[in-house]
Amino acid sequence: MSVPMLDNMSARHIFLARHGLHDRPSGTGKGADLKNVIDDLGFVQLDSVNTFARAHDLILWSRRQQYRPKALQHLLHRDRQVFEHWTHDAAVIPIDSFSHWRLRFARDEARMADRWKEWRRGDFTAKIDAVLRQISDHGCCTSGQVGADESRGSGGWWDWHPSKTALEYLWRSGQVSVVRREGFTKVYDLTERVIPAEHLNRRHHLEETIDWCCAGALDRLGFATSGELAAFWDHLTPAETKAWCAAALADGRIIEVDVVGVDGKLRRSFAWPDIMDTAVIPTVPRLRILSPFDPALRDRKRAERLFGFSYRIEIFVPAPQRRYGYYVFPVLEGARMIGRIDMKRDSGVLAVRAFWPEAGVRMGAGRVAALRKELERAALFGGCGDVTFAADWERPAN
């Protein structure tokens, strides 16, 4: 039987639709509407870098331009509609997913117990009971409020004092949860005092969680290899997703498709059977500034195959060696990545240092006007009173 072929532009439209970048960014951006956005994405990565706006806020604003950061805090702290935990990194996750995170808790606990004893200074395991007792008896706390008698290291995560490591271990293993954030500092409490009972008490067999992870990842990716399904939540092993794909394919639950990359190469992937029958609606030609951590770009190799867009965060690259800049934002127009922009909130204004178009993108008057308009909207979102441009901000394609 021949394998159907999904052309590159259709693949882009499907992928962007699954990531909330297909239609205009309308909606209230709060309450149930915001929860629906996070449900559709599966999770939203958190990041502390704040040159303009934090990654999670920009991800949500790109899809709902009425969104403001307090709306996410309300979902997390007041309404308990999302919780914080780990995928590839810290993330906000729909509360309905909590019961499936128990697999992650168990696997992280085993991994940390084995590896962290070698990697972290001090014996953090000796502090676990004391930290739990402190939270149980005295209420929620931050990492700075545990281990008061322990020396603070000046290095990174490997140099945490033992009680801070114990607290992180308790969070990653599901025994404590983030009850709120103060600034960007996590405040922890016992999980049973944070997670609503209907989610806290629900349990699943391993096979149910494997199916939930694979089916949910395929829903959100549109088409994927077994490796891409495994990487989506970062819960499962490659062997588990391969076995799920083989069984689902044998049952006719999924099909194989050949997805055409921007270079014309085919990539054999899995998809739901109706993918070739569903009408592909073109993405609206809206210009958007995206977070470097946007879900549509999180898999850098996939983004390069689909869009021809090669992106690297250069925060840790020495300044003289940077090709673009410290923290450069991708720019999407419709279903095409058209460039990247170096901008920063500075003294109450949005300062634009440079914009580099992608090869083959012509920055005519209309496209420049659309970019300026999006920058004005971004400035309003970021609390900037004006937008300023460096004299040489319009750069040639790099």
Side-chain angles (χ1 to χ4, degrees):
M1 183 182 295
S2 62
V3 174
M5 185 179 299
L6 188 63
D7 68 85
N8 180 250
M9 190 53 69
S10 294
R12 292 192 202 187
H13 291 317
I14 290 169
F15 182 63
L16 292 172
R18 303 299 175 94
H19 283 76
L21 294 170
H22 188 258
D23 299 319
R24 297 194 178 279
S26 58
T28 64
K30 59 184 178 181
D33 178 64
L34 184 61
K35 172 64 162 43
N36 287 339
V37 174
I38 301 172
D39 285 346
D40 289 344
L41 294 175
F43 61 91
V44 174
Q45 183 173 334
L46 297 165
D47 192 73
S48 61
V49 178
N50 197 16
T51 58
F52 163 62
R54 298 198 191 278
H56 43 285
D57 291 324
L58 189 54
I59 289 167
L60 295 170
W61 177 78
S62 297
R63 291 153 175 82
R64 295 290 189 272
Q65 291 198 336
Q66 293 188 54
Y67 166 80
R68 293 298 180 266
K70 282 187 178 179
L72 180 59
Q73 299 309 310
H74 288 329
L75 281 188
L76 177 66
H77 306 154
R78 185 189 67 191
D79 304 330
R80 299 286 182 231
Q81 291 297 299
V82 296
F83 70 102
E84 280 197 34
H85 210 263
W86 207 261
T87 54
H88 320 80
D89 210 317
V92 288
I93 304 153
I95 196 68
D96 319 73
S97 304
F98 181 85
S99 55
H100 289 291
W101 245 253
R102 291 198 173 277
L103 176 64
R104 183 61 175 261
F105 299 156
R107 291 183 170 179
D108 277 0
E109 183 173 7
R111 185 163 44 242
M112 290 183 298
D114 180 46
R115 298 180 184 177
W116 282 18
K117 288 180 183 179
E118 300 177 8
W119 295 353
R120 310 291 175 116
R121 69 176 174 91
D123 182 8
F124 78 91
T125 61
K127 302 294 182 178
I128 290 173
D129 288 344
V131 171
L132 270 176
R133 249 190 336 267
Q134 177 179 336
I135 298 173
S136 179
D137 295 346
H138 302 288
C140 53
C141 70
T142 67
S143 61
Q145 295 169 323
V146 296
D149 59 340
E150 298 168 26
S151 63
R152 266 51 176 169
S154 57
W157 56 264
W158 60 89
D159 201 25
W160 289 347
H161 60 85
S163 290
K164 177 178 172 61
T165 302
L167 183 61
E168 183 77 6
Y169 170 86
L170 289 167
W171 175 55
R172 293 284 295 273
S173 61
Q175 298 175 70
V176 302
S177 293
V178 175
V179 65
R180 65 178 182 276
R181 285 206 181 230
E182 295 177 353
F184 203 68
T185 300
K186 295 195 289 285
V187 180
Y188 303 89
D189 202 349
L190 299 179
T191 292
E192 58 263 32
R193 299 201 295 227
V194 177
I195 304 301
E198 64 268 29
H199 304 293
L200 179 69
N201 297 325
R202 188 175 300 154
R203 298 291 189 276
H204 299 281
H205 295 298
L206 174 62
E207 293 75 15
E208 291 175 312
T209 291
I210 290 174
D211 184 69
W212 179 89
C213 285
C214 291
L218 191 56
D219 283 342
R220 291 167 176 88
L221 293 172
F223 46 86
T225 65
S226 66
E228 289 167 340
L229 295 180
F232 185 82
W233 308 102
D234 200 27
H235 272 22
L236 306 181
T237 67
E240 286 168 338
T241 55
K242 281 183 180 179
W244 183 88
C245 289
L249 186 64
D251 291 344
R253 188 178 172 193
I254 61 175
I255 63 169
E256 290 182 307
V257 295
D258 281 333
V259 181
V260 182
V262 70
D263 59 0
K265 293 181 179 179
L266 304 182
R267 186 171 177 82
R268 183 66 55 87
S269 301
F270 298 105
W272 298 119
D274 63 354
I275 191 169
M276 304 304 298
D277 301 325
T278 304
V280 176
I281 302 174
T283 305
V284 296
R286 172 68 178 261
L287 191 147
R288 310 175 201 241
I289 296 170
L290 303 180
S291 163
F293 296 101
D294 195 279
L297 303 173
R298 182 171 48 247
D299 185 335
R300 306 294 190 210
K301 292 181 180 179
R302 185 181 176 99
E304 192 161 1
R305 286 194 301 269
L306 280 180
F307 301 98
F309 187 70
S310 177
Y311 183 84
R312 179 188 184 192
I313 293 178
E314 298 183 292
I315 290 175
F316 301 111
V317 177
Q321 298 174 27
R322 290 175 188 149
R323 186 177 180 186
Y324 297 104
Y326 175 79
Y327 195 79
V328 174
F329 299 84
V331 180
L332 173 72
E333 182 187 60
R336 185 182 187 186
M337 299 302 304
I338 65 165
R340 59 202 84 201
I341 191 163
D342 186 359
M343 64 185 196
K344 180 181 181 181
R345 187 178 58 250
D346 187 13
S347 301
V349 302
L350 180 57
V352 178
R353 299 170 178 174
F355 172 79
W356 295 269
E358 288 291 280
V361 173
R362 180 177 173 274
M363 293 304 293
R367 186 169 273 150
V368 171
L371 177 58
R372 285 178 175 269
K373 187 66 177 176
E374 181 72 350
L375 287 165
E376 290 173 6
R377 290 188 285 258
L380 179 63
F381 168 67
C384 303
D386 198 6
V387 183
T388 63
F389 296 86
D392 62 342
W393 77 279
E394 293 186 70
R395 305 288 180 86
N398 198 339

